[in-house]
Amino acid sequence: MKAGMPHLNTTINASSLKIGVVTALWNSEITHSLRDGVIQRLKELKVSESNIILYEVDGSFELPLAAQHIIEKYQVDVVIPIGCLIKGSTLHFEYISEAVSQGIMQVGLQTKTPVLFGVLTCLNEDQARARAIGPGNHGPSWAETAVKQALSYKS
Ligand code: DLZ
């Protein structure tokens, strides 16, 4: 477990939850590894495969609308949008990072449904790989946060 990450009791039963996972396809080696880490941990926490709604979009910029869409269409209890932005030599990274983080926050507040920030914003590919591939994979901790958020707000 990482420093600062609260521990979630593995005996917790999240089987009542329906969870949306939206994955951006830009930097897909990274985002698919994060997604796999999320799904594996959700299953360990007893979320059934049929209650995990998977969705894909082209890039991180498309994540907020997709999150809103699956909240409205599938009445999920929480959404985990997954993306990976890697800084290039133009201002594109700054514009997309800002728009995506604001957009994701807005969707959560407007729909009153928890929406996580599963978007890596990295200066280079090495930083992204360290956070997505192998033991540093952030996916499992996002799954735990999602379950905690969903159980907190589910009526
Ligand atoms: C265009 C673009 C660029 C340059 N970089 C990334 C990136 O690092 N990560 C990512 O998820 N998406 C990137 N995109 C695509 C945008 O998010 C978006 O899909 C396009 O601008 C079309 O709206």
Side-chain angles (χ1 to χ4, degrees), residues 23-24 27-40 82 120 128-129 131-140 142:
T23 307
N27 304 309
S28 63
E29 185 191 357
I30 301 293
T31 58
H32 282 156
S33 180
L34 291 164
R35 179 202 60 192
D36 293 348
V38 163
I39 292 172
Q40 187 185 331
I82 297 172
L120 299 182
R129 295 181 73 82
R131 288 156 182 78
I133 315 279
N137 190 332
H138 283 24
W142 293 341

Side-chain angles (χ1 to χ4, degrees), residues 2 5-6 8 37-38 41 116 136-148:
K2 293 244 169 77
M5 190 195 300
L8 183 63
V38 163
R41 188 72 183 121
L116 271 63
N137 190 332
H138 283 24
S141 76
W142 293 341
E144 296 196 2
T145 301
V147 165
K148 280 189 271 188

Side-chain angles (χ1 to χ4, degrees), residues 80-118:
I80 309 171
I82 297 172
C84 173
L85 290 156
I86 298 183
K87 190 171 166 64
S89 51
T90 69
L91 288 177
H92 211 266
F93 173 85
E94 280 79 1
Y95 281 112
I96 296 185
S97 303
E98 179 71 14
V100 172
S101 57
Q102 296 285 342
I104 285 174
M105 175 61 81
Q106 244 182 335
V107 170
L109 295 175
Q110 280 171 5
T111 61
K112 298 188 173 61
T113 302
V115 182
L116 271 63
F117 187 64

Side-chain angles (χ1 to χ4, degrees), residues 43-107:
K43 286 182 179 169
E44 286 167 7
L45 295 169
K46 304 191 178 60
V47 180
S48 71
E49 208 164 317
S50 60
N51 278 341
I52 302 173
I53 310 299
L54 297 174
Y55 210 84
E56 287 186 340
V57 293
D58 279 351
S60 294
F61 192 75
E62 283 71 48
L63 287 170
L65 183 61
Q68 181 174 298
H69 174 71
I70 62 174
I71 288 167
E72 290 169 354
K73 183 163 180 186
Y74 299 100
Q75 281 89 45
V76 293
D77 298 301
V78 60
V79 182
I80 309 171
I82 297 172
C84 173
L85 290 156
I86 298 183
K87 190 171 166 64
S89 51
T90 69
L91 288 177
H92 211 266
F93 173 85
E94 280 79 1
Y95 281 112
I96 296 185
S97 303
E98 179 71 14
V100 172
S101 57
Q102 296 285 342
I104 285 174
M105 175 61 81
Q106 244 182 335
V107 170

